[in-house]
Amino acid sequence: MNLRRLAFLLAAPVTLLLLMACGAESIRTQVPGLATAVPIPIPGLAVDPAPTTTPQESAVPLATPGPAAIEHAAGPKSAETQPAGGQSQVPTNVFYQQNGLILEYYWPLDEPDNLSTQETQILAYNESGETIEFKSVTISFVEGGAARAQTSGTWERFPSRVRWDRNEYISIPPSRYEGEPLRLLPGEKAKLQWYLEGVSGIDAGQSVAIDLTVVGERGTLSIKETLVRGARQTQIPPAAIPVPTQRPPATPTPASHDAPVAASESGVRWMFNGVEWSPNGEAPNCDDPFVLQTPVDMSIVTSALWPGQQRGAYVAHGGFRFDGNADNNVTVRAPVGSHLVQAAKYLESGVPQYLLFFSVPCGFFYRFDHVLEVPPELAEALKDIPPANSGDSRTSFINPPFWVDQGDVVGTAVGIPPANIFVDFGLYDVRKPNNVVPNPAWADLFASDKEFGHYGVCFFDYLPAADGEKMRSLPTGKEGATSDFCE
């Protein structure tokens, strides 16, 4: 009897602990927010049905990849993935996990990754033990039944799940993509980031259709998912989500008699959707006439590069030369209040060069190229762009955009030392294509530069009158005083 009593006393606490563990598991599975995303069918987009089993029942061990990774288009969800930035949170961002490939989706304004209203991204982790390649990466983002146009896309690759020292940066559609392989080695992490027409907020009826094609050693994997944000996922009827066109509704240009708004009072920026430009809000009127502050000291300019001519390639920009300078210390100033929105740092003849693009709220863009040095405040805004590589001048979007007032210094040295002292300058009226585009031969030359080439203008006409006249009278390069833009 004593032995039976002792056995009972030992067994009772163990039984109680087991009952408590089961009860805790039962409670955990009912916590709101741990449910997986429910696919919503979109016309023309095939979406796999939601899994009918729980992640615990269907998850495939990551250490044993098999053929199922090639055959199944939407794997089980997981709640055990490190969130972006390494911050602790309930991990509800995983939308795909199978055989070592883990995908997380982050919405605009997601706090863990500090995304803005214009950013959304996928984080991919390769724990499969094999090299995989993303052959197709597309998303279609919808808010309140209206497609949100994409302005650019990027692929970034990192050494591991926890490290953020980037070792690759590639533009992907809708940015200009040149066919580079998007490979992810075992143990690496990738970030696929898209910039969108800004969303209204986190409760504005948002959904995203994701379509990825991934190739591994065992074959091709097609992943198609439609995710709906938060509690809205059960409230949006499928018919309310159209197939996105990636063309935002045009914002009407204010009538010419409306009072212009000072550029410094406007946060409007212009974005290109692959077909045309449009502002992200109501654009102020441009002054009439629209006159720039000359960006350099005209007293030291020795020759002029004319815009809209063939110089190796056909280019829409021109520039200023300073052959009389003893060094490269030439100050470059913002010709008008504007946002720095795109930039690149690259190497030419082994010398780092900055390429800078600025958006003027009323509807102009301008660019400087071959800026050698920038002031500290601009250097801080540019600190996250990829490091300089030889001949690679692909631009990155600046987030957040950096505002400069007219006359602010944006460059403190230019050109390629010791003797090639110059800076390129281009001006673009993005409200409408220039009058040269209807010429088919000219348009073909700019087939790969619809973003800026079709909107180039003669910047001489926008400088103060005396400076514009001087540019027309200065010596030129071997191409001479010829231009498709300047009369």
Side-chain angles (χ1 to χ4, degrees):
M1 291 293 296
N2 288 339
L3 291 174
R4 288 197 189 104
R5 183 174 302 164
L6 178 60
F8 174 79
L9 290 174
L10 290 172
V14 173
T15 303
L16 181 59
L17 288 172
L18 289 172
L19 289 172
M20 290 173 65
C22 292
E25 175 63 19
S26 175
I27 293 172
R28 188 191 69 78
T29 58
Q30 298 173 25
V31 175
L34 290 180
T36 57
V38 179
I40 302 294
I42 291 181
L45 177 65
V47 179
D48 282 359
T52 57
T53 56
T54 65
Q56 290 82 5
E57 294 170 336
S58 60
V60 179
L62 297 181
T64 58
I70 301 168
E71 300 166 358
H72 196 64
K77 315 298 187 289
S78 168
E80 299 179 358
T81 297
Q82 174 75 19
Q87 300 185 30
S88 176
Q89 64 167 33
V90 177
T92 59
N93 298 88
V94 175
F95 70 90
Y96 181 90
Q97 175 176 330
Q98 185 155 327
N99 295 353
L101 175 60
I102 303 170
L103 300 173
E104 298 173 345
Y105 181 76
Y106 289 85
W107 301 87
L109 295 172
D110 262 357
E111 292 183 2
D113 209 31
N114 298 315
L115 298 182
S116 71
T117 61
Q118 298 173 308
E119 296 175 277
T120 189
Q121 69 182 24
I122 294 171
L123 293 184
Y125 306 97
N126 181 11
E127 299 180 355
S128 69
E130 65 180 58
T131 298
I132 58 177
E133 182 175 344
F134 287 75
K135 287 294 210 180
S136 173
V137 288
T138 62
I139 66 164
S140 301
F141 195 98
V142 171
E143 181 180 61
R148 282 289 179 251
Q150 300 175 21
T151 58
S152 68
T154 61
W155 158 280
E156 299 173 61
R157 189 165 56 88
F158 306 89
S160 70
R161 176 185 284 268
V162 297
R163 291 174 58 185
W164 292 93
D165 45 328
R166 180 174 56 203
N167 54 19
E168 186 175 54
Y169 180 98
I170 297 174
S171 295
I172 58 173
S175 298
R176 291 193 295 275
Y177 173 57
E178 299 180 359
E180 303 95 327
L182 307 179
R183 291 196 182 99
L184 199 58
L185 302 180
E188 289 186 331
K189 167 179 62 182
K191 179 172 73 174
L192 295 102
Q193 179 120 342
W194 286 270
Y195 291 84
L196 310 164
E197 177 190 14
V199 303
S200 301
I202 63 173
D203 297 317
Q206 296 166 6
S207 67
V208 63
I210 298 171
D211 189 347
L212 306 177
T213 301
V214 183
V215 177
E217 295 175 8
R218 296 173 176 82
T220 299
L221 169 65
S222 177
I223 302 170
K224 298 178 186 288
E225 283 276 6
T226 298
L227 311 178
V228 179
R229 187 167 197 162
R232 292 276 186 176
Q233 63 188 16
T234 60
Q235 300 175 14
I236 302 177
I241 305 177
V243 178
T245 63
Q246 295 190 7
R247 295 187 65 174
T251 301
T253 302
S256 59
H257 55 74
D258 292 342
V261 179
S264 60
E265 298 176 5
S266 174
V268 172
R269 297 182 301 280
W270 289 71
M271 301 176 292
F272 187 68
N273 67 358
V275 178
E276 62 188 2
W277 288 86
S278 62
N280 65 350
E282 185 175 354
N285 279 345
C286 292
D287 291 336
D288 187 13
F290 183 69
V291 179
L292 304 175
Q293 175 179 316
T294 305
V296 296
D297 181 355
M298 285 298 298
S299 70
I300 60 173
V301 177
T302 57
S303 59
L305 294 174
W306 286 54
Q309 62 177 209
Q310 191 100 17
R311 294 197 299 274
Y314 197 95
V315 292
H317 60 267
F320 307 86
R321 291 198 61 86
F322 311 92
D323 295 319
N325 264 40
D327 54 36
N328 292 73
N329 296 327
V330 173
T331 299
V332 181
R333 298 183 181 275
V336 61
S338 50
H339 289 98
L340 173 63
V341 292
Q342 297 183 45
K345 189 176 184 180
Y346 64 98
L347 297 177
E348 184 163 326
S349 301
V351 178
Q353 304 279 281
Y354 285 103
L355 170 62
L356 309 172
F357 283 93
F358 297 81
S359 173
V360 181
C362 75
F364 279 80
F365 248 75
Y366 65 91
R367 63 173 269 174
F368 292 111
D369 195 5
H370 300 288
V371 174
L372 181 63
E373 296 176 4
V374 297
E377 59 273 17
L378 205 62
E380 176 65 20
L382 297 170
K383 63 182 174 58
D384 291 329
I385 65 174
N389 288 311
S390 180
D392 186 357
S393 59
R394 289 173 295 180
T395 59
S396 301
F397 279 78
I398 305 303
N399 184 37
F402 182 77
W403 176 263
V404 293
D405 285 316
Q406 184 179 67
D408 282 355
V409 175
V410 297
T412 55
V414 302
I416 304 170
N420 197 1
I421 309 172
F422 72 106
V423 64
D424 284 349
F425 178 66
L427 183 66
Y428 315 91
D429 184 347
V430 298
R431 297 171 298 177
K432 60 185 183 303
N434 57 39
N435 59 6
V436 187
V437 169
N439 179 340
W442 187 95
D444 286 345
L445 290 169
F446 268 116
S448 62
D449 188 20
K450 295 178 181 178
E451 186 175 9
F452 294 108
H454 288 190
Y455 299 87
V457 296
C458 181
F459 71 85
F460 302 167
D461 297 337
Y462 296 83
L463 300 177
D467 291 345
E469 291 174 5
K470 182 174 181 178
M471 286 296 288
R472 294 176 187 273
S473 67
L474 285 171
T476 69
K478 62 182 180 180
E479 295 82 9
T482 61
S483 170
D484 285 333
F485 304 156
C486 302
E487 297 178 356

